[in-house]
Amino acid sequence: MLKKYMIYPICAFVLGTILVGCLPEKAETALIYKGPTVVEVKNFTLGQASTVLTAKGVSTAAGTQTDSTRTVFLNTRGTDSVLVQLVGPQSASPIDVNFAVRSTSTAVEGTHYAFIPAGIRKVTIQPNTSSAYIRLSVIANSLPTVGDQRTVFIDLLSNGTVNPNPNFSKFFVTLRR
């Protein structure tokens, strides 16, 4: 009977050692990103408290925020921004990330919003950093009726060196009165 109690722990130890020894990589390197360097857009307001977001003019109603969408109130939120994030190693030189506004956008630049700086269609990720922001100035009272809304569809573009992540290359900002 004593042999039985000694054999089980020894077998468990040997089996555990074999399994750990067969792992393809060490734990320190297993989670390091090894894919191509890409850029992507993210909704940085996800996870913030509803009371904080409401005070900042960001809608917290169901379905108004996802990884790639956000709804903001025109008369509360003066400026909104979209996070552009580098995935991969940082660069010693700046990375320009181009973007475009889709022709299917229902919000009109200059009427409902303006980019900061005006007319620019790129953001720069500074050397040795991983992010930048596309900034929009939201024009208060640009929608006459409470409940009206318009959407800006933003698409990241390749700069020839760094491509957008196809899963996170677009962001929709809905402007609501």
Side-chain angles (χ1 to χ4, degrees), residues 9-55:
I10 292 171
C11 288
F13 174 77
V14 171
L15 184 60
T17 303
I18 291 170
L19 290 175
V20 170
C22 294
L23 291 176
E25 297 181 55
K26 292 183 179 182
E28 300 87 41
T29 60
L31 299 177
I32 295 175
Y33 180 75
K34 296 179 182 99
T37 299
V38 295
V39 289
E40 57 190 29
V41 288
K42 292 285 184 182
N43 183 352
F44 66 92
T45 63
L46 281 178
Q48 293 182 17
S50 294
T51 54
V52 171
L53 291 175
T54 301

Side-chain angles (χ1 to χ4, degrees), residues 31-100:
L31 299 177
I32 295 175
Y33 180 75
K34 296 179 182 99
T37 299
V38 295
V39 289
E40 57 190 29
V41 288
K42 292 285 184 182
N43 183 352
F44 66 92
T45 63
L46 281 178
Q48 293 182 17
S50 294
T51 54
V52 171
L53 291 175
T54 301
K56 292 180 178 180
V58 177
S59 176
T60 58
T64 60
Q65 282 208 74
T66 67
D67 281 341
S68 58
T69 62
R70 180 171 42 251
T71 298
V72 299
F73 296 106
L74 284 174
N75 293 346
T76 308
R77 188 137 177 111
T79 302
D80 194 41
S81 52
V82 177
L83 174 65
V84 178
Q85 178 176 304
L86 178 67
V87 178
Q90 294 179 347
S91 173
S93 53
I95 299 172
D96 287 333
V97 179
N98 303 312
F99 64 92

Side-chain angles (χ1 to χ4, degrees), residues 39 41 81-85 94-101 109 114-126 131-136 154-160 162:
V39 289
V41 288
S81 52
V82 177
L83 174 65
V84 178
Q85 178 176 304
I95 299 172
D96 287 333
V97 179
N98 303 312
F99 64 92
V101 176
E109 187 173 2
F115 287 109
I116 304 170
I120 300 299
R121 292 293 188 271
K122 75 174 181 175
V123 295
T124 301
I125 298 174
Q126 296 301 321
S131 62
Y133 291 90
I134 299 171
R135 296 183 56 223
L136 296 102
I154 299 170
D155 291 309
L156 293 183
L157 305 173
S158 174
N159 69 2
V162 178

Side-chain angles (χ1 to χ4, degrees), residues 102-108 112-113 143 149-153:
R102 288 188 194 173
S103 61
T104 55
S105 293
T106 56
V108 177
H112 303 111
Y113 72 95
L143 294 172
Q149 64 184 36
R150 301 288 187 276
T151 303
V152 182
F153 300 107

